[in-house]
Amino acid sequence: MNRIRLVVNGREREIEVEACKLLVHAVREDLGLTGTHVGCLTGDCGACTVLVGGASVKSCSVLAVQADGAEITTIEGVAGNDELHPVQRAFWDEFGFQCGYCLPGMLLTARELLDRTPDPDDDAIVQAINGNLCRCTGYGSILRAIRCAATRMAASDDPAPSG
């Protein structure tokens, strides 16, 4: 067994894992954060996406021991102060999901994109979500949701008008 330390959703955590345990299983089983979904286990679907150091990572393709010392954000850590993050709100408002299985991975991927590129064009959005598969909605509503989130996030960054 290997003892690893992580900062998960802003909280320091320490767990013991076998050397061969995937990060997705450590997140779900050892940390109890079941919003990270197990999909294909081959890195193709994106259902297991988490942010590691702010970058989207398919947690089924990373060993938990490789994440020792990392800062990880799961879907449970996206909303703050009991309010949805603008990306979450935009997906809700634009009907960017149906069954919701891909949603955690899509949201985290979209969040990383918008943190890195606040005003992405459609090509950048398509490229960013390329590794996240949705079998229910098609991608039109997802693209609209990410564009909407970008607009909302930009508006929230604007300084308040002086009075």
Side-chain angles (χ1 to χ4, degrees):
M1 295 296 274
N2 298 278
R3 180 170 296 280
I4 62 171
R5 293 178 183 189
L6 309 164
V7 176
V8 182
N9 300 327
R11 183 175 164 215
E12 290 187 33
R13 304 289 301 265
E14 190 172 306
I15 56 174
E16 284 193 11
V17 295
E18 294 180 21
C20 61
K21 189 166 208 167
L22 295 173
L23 181 58
V24 67
H25 294 306
V27 166
R28 291 179 57 82
E29 297 163 10
D30 299 316
L31 299 172
L33 300 170
T34 57
T36 301
H37 294 155
V38 177
C40 64
L41 290 176
T42 60
D44 292 325
C45 75
C48 67
T49 300
V50 298
L51 300 180
V52 177
S56 60
V57 171
K58 294 176 182 176
S59 62
C60 74
S61 63
V62 176
L63 295 173
V65 294
Q66 291 175 293
D68 188 21
E71 185 172 325
I72 297 173
T73 303
T74 68
I75 192 62
E76 291 89 349
V78 173
N81 300 325
D82 294 327
E83 278 189 35
L84 294 178
H85 185 278
V87 173
Q88 291 172 304
R89 174 55 62 192
F91 268 75
W92 178 266
D93 292 344
E94 297 295 328
F95 305 101
F97 64 96
Q98 283 184 14
C99 82
Y101 202 79
C102 70
L103 189 58
M106 281 288 185
L107 291 169
L108 287 163
T109 300
R111 179 177 161 188
E112 180 213 6
L113 168 66
L114 297 176
D115 286 346
R116 190 173 24 92
T117 309
D119 187 23
D121 61 19
D122 283 352
D123 288 340
I125 295 171
V126 168
Q127 182 65 32
I129 65 169
N130 187 38
N132 293 78
L133 301 179
C134 176
R135 296 180 178 173
C136 297
T137 65
Y139 292 88
S141 59
I142 293 169
L143 291 172
R144 280 193 311 275
I146 296 171
R147 285 193 303 265
C148 176
T151 300
R152 290 178 182 179
M153 289 171 72
S156 71
D157 288 342
D158 287 341
S162 56

